[in-house]
Amino acid sequence: MADPTAITAALTGLFPLVKEVFLMTQVLFEADKKLRSFWARADLQRAIFDAWEDGWLDARNKPDDKIKAYAYEKPLLARGILKEFVSLLKTLSDPDKLKKRYGLRPERIPKYATRNDDVPRDLRYYSDYLSTVDSRFNVGGLTAFNKSITDHLNLLKTVRYVIVGKDYELEDVVIRLTEFNRDLQLYTDSEANAEAAQRIYEVVLRGLHSKPDDPARLAEAALFEQKATIDPEAKSFYGDIAKFIGFSLSLRDVTVLNGRGLSPNMPSQKIFTRRDFSFDAPYKLGPHSTLARLLDYPTKYQTRLVLVEWVPVPKTVNVKTKFEGLKSEWYVLHADKPDGLLLPTAQGLIYDNTDSNYIGIVFQLPSHIRTEIPPKVAGRIDPRVVRSPKTTAAQRMPTSLRQLILQQPALDLGVRFRIAQKLLNSLHLMHTAGWMHKRIRADNILFFPSQNRDGEPDPTRLDFESPLLAGFHSARLEIETASALEVAAKPLEHIRPLQGLGKVLNQPRVVALDAYQHPEYRYNVNLPYRNQYDLYGVGAVLLELGLWETLEVLEKGDIGRRGYDPRVVPTKDDIRKDGETVERAGWKLDRIMGSTYAKVVRECLTLKPMPGDLVGLERALVARLANCQA
């Protein structure tokens, strides 16, 4: 068996050759417009390999150290990776196999051509040499190996593939690359595979703004692969990539339009009035959100149950201006999204000329919750017995995470681990796409009744596998009563927390901030919102989930004792104490949830500014949470 040192040196040396082979296939397909579908599919496999490769790179962008550790810890798996590298390079370097299996001929790029060129002979030599890199390979052969791979790489850089067979033979090239990536995953441990699955979303968006057509082609390729494969996991994987790219492109489109002072077009059938809905008291979720019956939808005499979040319109803002701004939020949220994002799909907006105080965002609910709602009034058209709103609400109403913590015994550890991983994974996807939630709190995380065998909601069981992130009713956690300039001109200490209203209503501006928000942002809500603030919010939720206590009762009600009217700005000292209470509570997680979970939460709750790649940190945290087992 090849020793770990030899495996490390071989893999490190072969990485550039594998990348060069991927590049050569891309150049082959890119040269002919008729082969662009093959190009996109080969590019997608290149992206998958890049996501896998990036997991081996260290701070110096070198794979040496991580491969060495893996080779010593799991030599058989490392040897399997080496075997796959050698197999791919032999196949795509052997002139005879290239012509017979793929209808390709290697030839010198014209500007590198010389009179004595014999590319097939040279490639055949290196292909034969790769056969010696097997179980007998050891450190004694490293000198010859290093020279050989250097010469091999230099040769590949001066060679191109030329099509001499039929187009259908090119399908096998893409299939070979697909099999290569799949086999690499078999020889890679679960944590590295989980992180690579997260990293692919970052890789496919490279060049989103400089070359926007490239991600769109990758989405088309992912849809093709989704339809072509019969593996359920692969179908889900490719489908999520396509949806994620589509979501990211919609976000980019809105950013471009907003930069020009424009808003996206919105079909008239997506703009509703209050008369299109039946708002019944049993459906109310909170002061700014409710379930409602959407009448005569999708066709006349049919009804759908939807989620409506009311966006307050400040008196200083024109309602039409606010409506145009919300079009952008609708445009992004109505796009197809991977299930891992946990964001609801926006169906439209409620814009009523008779109400200048609120605009509603209408969200689609899970299929078994929204459908089969009888009309509100029974008649000749539908003679079925009509269930009352109270009965329907008892079967279909969601429960927030906050309600669960306050009213129910602690969920099993395994369930809490899965919820935590889903929330952090959702945040990573949002930030990768360039979207910030800004309102992540336990009362904005909803769980709906699960589906029974008949496809109906089962009110006795909640679906913890599909939480929904809501809370889009306010752009910030604040009540606007004055301009940002007026607040910036006043120190935060000018208002003391009060138990009652007192003279608070006469203050020039009152802001509702809570302990889910990062202290830095609470000090000054006019700061540009950052990804780290969202991460802090998720950390606070994960803290509640682990301790099964809401923030206001942590540390014997420390935050609750500093409670203030929600319309009052707390002092800097109160904000600092809230942050310290949350941090202190985080150290209690180890004995309940284990050290891995506890360390992840504490990293989310750090009060220090996080420089560098925050999205990469989130990806790593998701991979670490995946290892938490009950």
Side-chain angles (χ1 to χ4, degrees):
M1 180 185 295
D3 66 81
T5 302
I7 292 175
T8 301
L11 282 175
T12 304
L14 293 179
F15 261 112
L17 273 75
V18 173
K19 292 181 70 69
E20 188 64 31
V21 164
F22 271 102
L23 178 61
M24 290 172 68
T25 58
Q26 284 182 258
V27 172
L28 166 70
F29 297 134
E30 188 178 8
D32 191 336
K33 291 184 178 181
K34 294 186 297 183
L35 304 177
R36 287 300 176 91
S37 63
F38 290 118
W39 174 36
R41 292 170 60 198
D43 198 23
L44 177 61
Q45 296 306 319
R46 186 269 314 160
I48 294 172
F49 175 75
D50 285 351
W52 179 85
E53 180 202 23
D54 286 352
W56 298 100
L57 302 180
D58 56 22
R60 300 174 294 116
N61 217 31
K62 299 288 185 181
D64 314 46
D65 294 338
K66 290 188 177 181
I67 289 178
K68 184 176 182 179
Y70 195 69
Y72 274 94
E73 182 182 353
K74 301 176 180 179
L76 289 177
L77 294 181
R79 181 186 167 196
I81 295 174
L82 177 59
K83 178 183 175 183
E84 292 302 322
F85 273 33
V86 170
S87 176
L88 178 73
L89 291 171
K90 284 177 62 179
T91 300
L92 297 181
S93 296
D94 187 322
D96 300 324
K97 290 182 179 179
L98 283 170
K99 185 175 182 180
K100 184 177 180 180
R101 294 180 58 179
Y102 307 117
L104 299 178
R105 184 184 73 242
E107 68 174 25
R108 189 80 68 175
I109 297 173
K111 68 177 181 179
Y112 298 112
T114 61
R115 180 176 297 180
N116 298 321
D117 261 349
D118 192 344
V119 172
R121 178 200 62 197
D122 295 341
L123 281 176
R124 195 175 290 110
Y125 167 79
Y126 293 116
S127 178
D128 291 342
Y129 176 78
L130 285 171
S131 300
T132 66
V133 185
D134 55 15
S135 59
R136 296 164 294 178
F137 185 69
N138 55 55
V139 291
L142 285 181
T143 302
F145 171 80
N146 290 332
K147 183 179 186 312
S148 177
I149 61 170
T150 300
D151 294 341
H152 192 176
L153 180 61
N154 290 336
L155 175 62
L156 290 179
K157 288 182 177 180
T158 66
V159 171
R160 65 184 180 186
Y161 295 136
V162 177
I163 301 172
V164 293
K166 304 295 184 182
D167 287 355
Y168 64 81
E169 293 179 292
L170 300 176
E171 176 75 21
D172 290 338
V173 177
V174 180
I175 291 175
R176 181 66 184 90
L177 298 178
T178 304
E179 291 174 344
F180 171 71
N181 280 324
R182 183 194 61 206
D183 292 341
L184 285 183
Q185 294 171 14
L186 296 177
Y187 293 112
T188 309
D189 63 35
S190 58
E191 182 175 349
N193 277 332
E195 193 168 346
Q198 293 295 120
R199 192 182 291 105
I200 185 62
Y201 297 108
E202 301 165 37
V203 174
V204 295
L205 292 189
R206 290 173 183 172
L208 176 64
H209 298 284
S210 58
K211 296 181 178 179
D213 290 341
D214 287 359
R217 275 194 291 267
L218 288 177
E220 293 176 5
L223 285 175
F224 181 93
E225 299 295 349
Q226 181 192 27
K227 294 176 182 177
T229 184
I230 60 173
D231 180 5
E233 288 188 10
K235 275 187 179 294
S236 176
F237 174 70
Y238 287 120
D240 283 348
I241 290 176
K243 291 177 182 178
F244 178 75
I245 294 175
F247 175 75
S248 304
L249 289 174
S250 67
L251 189 58
R252 184 211 62 186
D253 293 342
V254 161
T255 303
V256 172
L257 285 172
N258 291 346
R260 298 172 182 170
L262 303 173
S263 56
N265 293 324
M266 190 172 184
S268 58
Q269 61 267 32
K270 297 293 184 181
I271 303 175
F272 305 102
T273 68
R274 287 176 181 263
R275 293 188 299 275
D276 296 319
F277 298 84
S278 175
F279 297 101
D280 302 291
Y283 293 144
K284 190 172 183 180
L285 296 175
H288 291 288
S289 59
T290 181
L291 299 192
R293 297 176 187 232
L294 177 54
L295 308 175
D296 293 329
Y297 189 91
T299 60
K300 195 169 181 63
Y301 307 125
Q302 288 190 314
T303 305
R304 289 289 184 268
L305 199 62
V306 296
L307 169 65
V308 177
E309 294 198 340
W310 296 107
V311 179
V313 181
K315 293 181 178 179
T316 55
V317 177
N318 181 276
V319 65
K320 191 165 185 179
T321 302
K322 186 73 172 179
F323 174 71
E324 291 297 319
L326 286 175
K327 281 184 179 180
S328 297
E329 191 158 339
W330 163 82
Y331 184 82
V332 174
L333 289 174
H334 98 292
D336 278 345
K337 297 172 284 292
D339 293 338
L341 261 174
L342 307 184
L343 297 177
T345 298
Q347 284 188 240
L349 299 175
I350 302 176
Y351 178 52
D352 207 320
N353 291 328
T354 61
D355 185 357
S356 59
N357 296 318
Y358 292 94
I359 297 173
I361 307 178
V362 183
F363 292 105
Q364 182 175 285
L365 297 177
S367 59
H368 68 291
I369 299 293
R370 67 177 181 261
T371 55
E372 300 301 323
I373 305 297
K376 187 178 180 184
V377 179
R380 294 180 181 176
I381 296 165
D382 191 340
R384 295 177 298 174
V385 176
V386 177
R387 287 170 287 184
S388 68
K390 186 175 182 180
T391 303
T392 302
Q395 295 176 330
R396 300 169 188 263
M397 287 290 281
T399 301
S400 72
L401 179 59
R402 178 176 173 81
Q403 287 175 303
L404 279 176
I405 295 174
L406 290 174
Q407 301 171 7
Q408 302 291 334
L411 299 174
D412 291 342
L413 280 181
V415 175
R416 285 189 274 171
F417 284 144
R418 289 198 300 274
I419 292 173
Q421 186 182 2
K422 288 177 182 294
L423 293 175
L424 197 51
N425 176 54
S426 173
L427 188 72
H428 169 252
L429 293 179
M430 278 189 271
H431 289 173
T432 301
W435 174 272
M436 292 185 289
H437 189 283
K438 301 183 181 180
R439 298 159 290 275
I440 297 176
R441 313 189 316 177
D443 54 341
N444 287 333
I445 299 166
L446 305 179
F447 301 95
F448 285 86
S450 59
Q451 190 173 10
N452 63 23
R453 293 180 179 179
D454 299 324
E456 290 285 326
D458 181 357
T460 64
R461 293 187 302 116
L462 292 177
D463 182 4
F464 294 117
E465 297 301 319
S466 304
L468 197 68
L469 271 174
F472 298 93
H473 54 268
S474 178
R476 285 181 177 174
L477 295 174
E478 59 187 29
I479 304 171
E480 296 279 358
T481 57
S483 70
L485 292 177
E486 289 177 315
V487 177
K490 296 177 180 295
L492 286 176
E493 289 86 350
H494 76 290
I495 300 178
R496 286 294 307 166
L498 301 175
Q499 295 297 329
L501 290 179
K503 298 181 180 180
V504 171
L505 298 179
N506 297 323
Q507 296 296 341
R509 176 186 173 96
V510 285
V511 185
L513 295 169
D514 58 26
Y516 291 98
Q517 289 288 329
H518 194 285
E520 182 179 80
Y521 184 65
R522 294 179 68 188
Y523 286 147
N524 184 1
V525 296
N526 298 300
L527 288 172
Y529 202 88
R530 298 167 51 192
N531 286 350
Q532 185 180 350
Y533 302 156
D534 264 352
L535 185 60
Y536 185 90
V538 167
V541 171
L542 265 55
L543 177 65
E544 291 180 306
L545 189 63
L547 298 178
W548 207 249
E549 292 180 342
T550 54
L551 293 186
E552 67 270 17
V553 301
L554 294 178
E555 299 291 290
K556 299 180 180 179
D558 196 15
I559 293 177
R561 283 195 299 274
R562 286 191 295 275
Y564 42 85
D565 186 272
R567 291 169 293 178
V568 181
V569 175
T571 65
K572 285 188 175 181
D573 188 53
D574 292 313
I575 294 172
R576 177 183 58 78
K577 289 179 180 178
D578 283 354
E580 290 174 350
T581 298
V582 170
E583 269 199 314
R584 199 162 54 247
W587 290 98
K588 295 182 178 180
L589 283 170
D590 295 78
R591 60 184 176 82
I592 300 173
M593 304 294 285
S595 59
T596 300
Y597 185 96
K599 288 177 182 177
V600 167
V601 173
R602 287 196 288 268
E603 285 195 57
C604 294
L605 292 174
T606 182
L607 301 180
K608 298 177 181 178
M610 292 183 178
D613 183 13
L614 187 64
V615 170
L617 170 63
E618 292 169 353
R619 181 203 333 118
L621 294 179
V622 172
R624 283 160 55 185
L625 273 185
N627 289 326
C628 293
Q629 302 291 333

